[in-house]
């Protein structure tokens, strides 16, 4: 996968040159490329924004630098050009899994008040928001999405199934995890995890995922395919269909 970032602050993306993101680049699995679109300004002062027609507060990103920057990249019909925008579709695990199958992503990271509408209508394939809040720019959101997407690409985590039990991947929140020592200051690891009985362990983990989801994110249960046994267990916790 190749990911390009149109940004006015390419140095911010140094954050991605560490840990798993760095290893995935070193292994040639993904290429991450910040592009300063100020270099594509046709203004001698390299201006990339201007006042909005009709008046109003703030400055708006001009179309020319953004269009020219995208055109400088190897864009194909399969390229996903993503506008980071609070008006866009809310990013979630399902979207991360969808984008993890793409070969080329371009993130347009805005700043200032907004974008010239022609960028939105003529250039982008996806408008995505990280959540119902506003950031000063799209860089942090793009990096967060990159982490969520790249870790799903085969061989990035080193274990093909290591992400499958993550919260949201299965539709439920992840069950509790424990490691050694089995007794820490009187705090005991659940006995079932020490039993060696894999069937009982899987059942315990599933029940704990159901419990945690019911207690913390009951809205997720509305779309999860609950079995009769799941419903019976949840009813012991107070769940009502």
């Amino acid at each position: 996968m190749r990911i390009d970032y149109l940004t006015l602050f390419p140095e911010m993306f140094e954050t991605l040159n560490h840990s798993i993101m760095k290893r995935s680049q070193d292994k040639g699995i993904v290429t991450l490329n910040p592009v300063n679109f100020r270099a594509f300004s046709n203004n001698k002062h390299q201006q990339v924004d201007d006042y909005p027609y009709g008046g109003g507060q703030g400055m708006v990103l001009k179309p020319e630098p953004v269009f020219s920057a995208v055109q400088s990249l190897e864009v194909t019909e399969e390229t996903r050009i993503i506008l980071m925008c609070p008006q866009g579709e809310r990013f979630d695990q399902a979207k991360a899994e969808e984008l993890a199958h793409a070969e080329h992503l371009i993130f347009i990271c805005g700043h200032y008040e907004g974008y010239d509408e022609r960028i939105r209508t003529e250039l982008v394939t996806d408008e995505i928001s990280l959540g119902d809040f506003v950031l000063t720019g799209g860089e942090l959101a793009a990096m967060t999405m990159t982490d969520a997407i790249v870790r799903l690409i085969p061989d990035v985590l080193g274990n093909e199934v290591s992400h499958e039990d993550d919260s949201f991947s299965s539709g439920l929140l992840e069950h509790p995890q424990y490691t050694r020592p089995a007794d820490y200051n009187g705090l005991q690891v659940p006995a079932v995890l020490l039993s060696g009985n894999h069937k009982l362990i899987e059942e315990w983990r599933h029940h704990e995922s159901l419990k945690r989801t019911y207690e913390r994110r009951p809205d997720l249960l509305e779309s999860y395919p609950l079995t009769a046994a799941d419903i019976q267990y949840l009813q012991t916790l107070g769940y009502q269909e």
Side-chain angles (χ1 to χ4, degrees):
M1 176 186 286
R2 176 183 174 89
I3 305 179
D4 295 300
Y5 307 92
L6 271 59
T7 174
L8 297 175
F9 304 95
E11 63 276 7
M12 291 182 66
F13 290 87
E14 170 63 24
T15 302
L16 296 176
N17 293 326
H18 301 276
S19 188
I20 290 172
M21 293 299 109
K22 183 179 188 304
R23 292 200 297 271
S24 67
Q25 295 177 78
D26 290 344
K27 288 163 47 174
I29 297 173
V30 64
T31 299
L32 306 180
N33 178 46
V35 177
N36 190 339
F37 63 86
R38 190 180 297 279
F40 294 86
S41 172
N42 58 8
N43 183 289
K44 67 179 181 179
H45 301 295
Q46 291 193 306
Q47 183 180 358
V48 295
D49 63 322
D50 209 335
Y51 295 104
Y53 280 122
Q57 297 182 354
M59 304 290 280
V60 175
L61 285 174
K62 295 162 62 68
E64 305 101 312
V66 175
F67 273 80
S68 295
V70 170
Q71 290 164 3
S72 74
L73 303 172
E74 297 179 3
V75 177
T76 70
E77 292 184 357
E78 303 301 319
T79 299
R80 303 285 288 269
I81 303 176
I82 301 168
L83 188 71
M84 303 307 304
C85 176
Q87 302 175 24
E89 171 189 0
R90 186 185 293 183
F91 185 70
D92 58 16
Q93 187 68 19
K95 195 67 177 181
E97 292 172 355
E98 174 191 335
L99 293 173
H101 291 93
E103 293 186 1
H104 187 200
L105 303 176
I106 298 175
F107 286 95
I108 302 177
C109 304
H111 228 70
Y112 310 113
E113 185 64 24
Y115 307 90
D116 183 289
E117 186 68 13
R118 288 164 289 191
I119 296 172
R120 187 193 313 274
T121 59
E122 303 300 323
L123 195 60
V124 308
T125 61
D126 301 84
E127 293 182 54
I128 300 181
S129 170
L130 195 60
D132 294 340
F133 49 87
V134 180
L135 299 172
T136 56
E139 287 80 8
L140 292 175
M143 286 188 278
T144 299
M145 288 177 54
T146 296
D147 189 287
I149 293 166
V150 170
R151 68 189 301 276
L152 298 175
I153 299 174
D155 296 329
V156 167
L157 295 182
N159 182 338
E160 293 300 313
V161 298
S162 60
H163 61 78
E164 292 181 1
D165 290 330
D166 289 343
S167 292
F168 306 112
S169 289
S170 68
L172 301 173
L173 299 185
E174 188 177 9
H175 54 77
Q177 299 273 20
Y178 296 87
T179 189
R180 291 179 286 186
D183 184 333
Y184 176 69
N185 291 343
L187 301 174
Q188 304 280 342
V189 171
V192 64
L193 298 179
L194 308 176
S195 68
N197 188 321
H198 295 292
K199 182 178 180 180
L200 288 180
I201 290 172
E202 287 305 309
E203 182 180 77
W204 178 88
R205 286 175 170 170
H206 182 62
H207 281 174
E208 289 297 311
S209 287
L210 287 169
K211 179 181 178 181
R212 183 161 286 186
T213 304
Y214 172 64
E215 293 175 342
R216 302 184 183 187
R217 288 291 306 275
D219 57 295
L220 296 176
L221 296 177
E222 296 175 7
S223 57
Y224 184 78
L226 295 170
T227 66
D230 291 340
I231 294 172
Q232 185 177 14
Y233 171 72
L234 286 168
Q235 286 175 338
T236 67
L237 304 176
Y239 171 78
Q240 294 181 344
E241 292 185 77

